[in-house]
Amino acid sequence: MDLDQLTALRTPEGSAALAAAERVAGGDPLAAAAALRSAGIPGGLAAAALTQAELRRRAVGKFGTAAARMFLTRPGLEQATRRGVADRRAARLRAAGVTTLADLGCGLGADALAAARAGIRVYAVEADPVTAAMAAANAEAAGLAGLVTVECGDATAFDVTRVDGAFCDPARRRAGTGRRIFDPNAYSPPWDFVTGLAARVPRTVVKVAPGLDHALIPAGAEAEWVSVDGDLVEAALWCGPLAAVPRRATLLREKEGPPFNASGRGGAPSYRLTGSGADEAEVGAVRRFLYDPDPAVVRAHLVAELAADLDATLADPSIAYLYADTAHPTPFARCLEITDVLPFSLKRLRALLRERRVGRVEILKRGSALEPEKLRRDLRLAGDEAASLVLTRVAGAPTVLIGRPAPTTG
């Protein structure tokens, strides 16, 4: 996609091409291209329209029905914030008194649009000309152009004295190749600019990769990890007066409710666990119930706080499985009832599962080098019963736990 193609897609002819592409997208791409050519749509325009139609289909999970009006790129879509997550962040910024926001490295504009929906005036900056033009087009399509100004330029050169809040989502993929960048010093804008931003704009939020090393978290900042339906999707650093606690795990449950309510804001249920991130859970024996914490809880180093809530302990100090004598409903962990605890032995495990006619297993693992799919093949399962297998360590020893969902959790 280049600027000429984007401009062409925004003409009446381009709108017609997009509508035609949306009718044929999702099937055989060669047949779809042939259908557009037979309709008299020029080849270049047809290709651009088909690409947009396919990206819009993929984007529904992140943006809901709004995806049908958006202009997208593949790397931009991958890094873009889910709408429910962005809306909740924008609401928190608005509640903290932010009225004008610099979105530095705005990408396709997902967070800028969320802030505008919350009533915040946004000045968005994006280095890539095509992506910047798409962000402006997305603001216009959403009816928010009056609240969102997009400029193509260097985020580090933006005059932050114009705003009372800043949001930065540094690019974590290399331009041209799309490869992930794991070294924060190679982000764009660079990490030293990102971490220094809060000194100039106290109300600063930085979106970071979920695998961020805790050692890189600035002193005094709140680090939040966010999961959606059990998938860890992002982390954010809340700086200055925005920091409420040292560590926070936020869980959104879109499967429990619509991701957007009637007002268009995030409507899925959410749950929050907070703490210092420095406490350690007690270590004890394997007990009747195993809790598998949500990945946001694990990455936020809040397993000890969850253990205290559940009256649970670890069986190995380096493995984030919790064990308790009773099952308590909690949104922060899945609970299994343990029926067997075995030192790992493929032969013994295979014999036990065959004896119980287990033909279907789910395999969870932490602290085990075993590959679940290879183990599944090696077990040669047969039968009509189901079981859960947990590959882990107990007091440093390779162990397999056999269990089933605990009926009293939810």
Side-chain angles (χ1 to χ4, degrees), residues 90-307:
R92 183 172 171 185
L93 284 168
R94 190 70 181 90
V98 173
T99 59
T100 54
L101 181 74
D103 185 346
L104 304 178
C106 70
L108 296 171
D111 286 280
L113 298 183
R117 286 192 293 269
I120 299 172
R121 180 70 172 87
V122 183
Y123 299 92
V125 184
E126 170 57 44
D128 178 68
V130 174
T131 305
M134 286 185 170
N138 292 337
E140 183 178 330
L144 296 168
L147 284 171
V148 179
T149 299
V150 182
E151 65 178 71
C152 180
D154 180 359
T156 65
F158 181 81
D159 179 10
V160 294
T161 62
R162 300 162 56 189
V163 297
D164 54 26
F167 173 75
C168 188
D169 180 4
R172 297 182 294 279
R173 289 186 178 275
R174 297 195 183 280
T177 66
R179 293 181 179 175
R180 290 184 183 276
I181 299 172
F182 296 99
D183 178 7
N185 293 317
Y187 288 171
S188 179
W191 189 244
D192 58 351
F193 167 80
V194 171
T195 55
L197 190 58
R200 296 188 293 147
V201 188
R203 292 181 177 86
T204 287
V205 185
V206 179
K207 179 180 171 181
V208 293
L212 179 74
D213 185 344
H214 279 238
L216 294 176
I217 299 170
E222 172 189 321
E224 176 189 34
W225 278 263
V226 182
S227 70
V228 177
D229 294 325
D231 292 329
L232 188 60
V233 297
E234 73 164 64
L237 306 178
W238 297 80
C239 303
L242 298 176
V245 292
R247 301 291 182 269
R248 181 190 304 262
T250 299
L251 285 55
L252 304 186
R253 293 290 184 255
E254 292 184 355
K255 291 179 180 177
E256 294 178 15
F260 319 114
N261 60 28
S263 69
R265 302 285 177 85
S270 66
Y271 307 92
R272 294 173 177 83
L273 183 67
T274 62
S276 70
D279 294 343
E280 296 183 2
E282 294 183 7
V283 178
V286 172
R287 294 192 270 172
R288 180 180 174 186
F289 295 98
L290 176 149
Y291 290 91
D292 180 12
D294 185 276
V297 173
V298 177
R299 282 300 309 158
H301 292 185
L302 294 175
V303 171
E305 283 79 355
L306 181 59

Side-chain angles (χ1 to χ4, degrees), residues 325-341:
D325 295 323
T326 56
H328 299 287
T330 175
F332 298 108
R334 183 182 173 204
C335 187
L336 297 175
E337 184 176 13
I338 301 303
T339 59
D340 300 88
V341 182

